[in-house]
Amino acid sequence: MKAKLVPVYFKSAQDPDFVKQLNELKVLLAEEADILDPVALGAEVPDTDGVIFPQMLGDAFRRLEEIEKLPQPLMVVTSEFGTVSMWDWEINSYLTAKGVRVVGPNTLEKTKQICRAFALKRQLRTSKFLVYQDNPASEGGNQDEIFKRFYWWEPQCSQAIEDKFGLKIVKKSFKKLAEDARAIPDEAALKVWEKKKGVTPIGKITNRAVMSAIKLYMKVMEDLDADPGIIAVGMNCLNESRFCETTPCLAWNLLYEDRKMVWGCEG
């Protein structure tokens, strides 16, 4: 997914310096951003992930109110290297002092990271985080006195994440996942492992632990295949480890190799 960026200009979209830099950005950020048609400062901005200034002018000091109305943070990428030009630091500092959130990346990689962050922000609004847990930090769990201190298991934490980013937290039973994984025949798990072991180096792990991890991987894959909206997954692996024969680390690493799936310890 690419970021949708709207370039904003001060005077004219035909200004030679503006046109030159805009064309440079389209090449430099070809993999990270779809750059839409330019919009004049003060005009209505279409639906977008963010706005970008390919050119900064001293007009910014006199047009603060119009700049304040733009979606923030603002990207200022004004050099041919895909970074902020050193001559724009003064304007950026002025805008920041006035409460405008400005991002002026000093490397091309940072510019690309910002684009990916903009795209991710949009993706999160329609995405889900799958968590396997049953009764975290309750009587009977491992080190409950420690895990009771973690905010992320509080309902208000899940609600805050959803309110801020739109990301849905989907909870499923860790106990049932482990039971279903154990029910997979060794023969089926072995076939999957035969395809994986040539490209996934492991240390001295017992065959039983490997089979347990592969079965866990297979069951999680079923849940992921059933819901493409899931972009991250985790489980309460230490606190409720009694449900599982092994840690899920190998299973998670396989998921990352297959799908670049982000995973979180303890959910």
Side-chain angles (χ1 to χ4, degrees), residues 128-132 220 224 230-235 252 255 261-265 267:
K128 302 171 185 177
F129 175 29
L130 174 59
V131 181
Y132 296 99
V220 174
L224 297 180
I230 298 171
I231 63 170
V233 62
M235 64 169 50
W252 290 158
L255 289 169
M261 181 62 58
V262 177
W263 53 273
C265 293

Side-chain angles (χ1 to χ4, degrees), residues 130-143:
L130 174 59
V131 181
Y132 296 99
Q133 64 182 52
D134 287 272
N135 296 296
S138 61
E139 296 300 327
N142 293 321
Q143 298 181 309

Side-chain angles (χ1 to χ4, degrees), residues 95-128:
L95 294 175
T96 299
K98 294 297 183 180
V100 179
R101 288 183 294 148
V102 180
V103 181
N106 57 10
T107 68
L108 177 59
E109 182 54 35
K110 288 183 181 179
T111 303
K112 292 180 177 181
Q113 287 175 353
I114 295 166
C115 291
R116 291 193 288 267
F118 275 135
L120 178 60
K121 187 175 180 181
R122 169 161 44 97
Q123 184 182 13
L124 287 176
R125 294 199 291 267
T126 57
S127 299
K128 302 171 185 177

Side-chain angles (χ1 to χ4, degrees), residues 2-9 22 25 29 32-39 44-54 67 69-77 101 103 111 114-123 125:
K2 297 182 181 181
K4 294 192 300 181
L5 301 179
V6 173
V8 175
Y9 60 88
L22 184 59
L25 292 177
L29 303 177
E32 289 77 22
D34 289 324
I35 299 180
L36 309 182
D37 293 335
V39 171
E44 184 177 352
V45 176
D47 181 43
T48 180
D49 296 325
V51 300
I52 186 169
F53 280 90
I67 294 175
K69 294 177 182 178
L70 293 171
Q72 297 180 31
L74 312 177
M75 286 184 70
V76 179
V77 187
R101 288 183 294 148
V103 181
T111 303
I114 295 166
C115 291
R116 291 193 288 267
F118 275 135
L120 178 60
K121 187 175 180 181
R122 169 161 44 97
Q123 184 182 13
R125 294 199 291 267

Side-chain angles (χ1 to χ4, degrees), residues 135 138-142 182 237-244:
N135 296 296
S138 61
E139 296 300 327
N142 293 321
R182 281 194 293 272
C237 44
L238 178 55
N239 181 234
E240 295 184 292
S241 59
R242 63 189 180 278
F243 295 137
C244 212

Side-chain angles (χ1 to χ4, degrees), residues 184-211:
I184 296 176
D186 286 350
E187 294 77 12
L190 188 58
K191 288 181 180 179
V192 173
W193 178 235
E194 287 295 328
K195 297 178 181 179
K196 294 291 181 185
K197 66 180 182 180
V199 294
T200 304
I202 61 172
K204 296 180 179 180
I205 304 177
T206 65
N207 184 67
R208 177 182 176 184
V210 170
M211 288 296 97

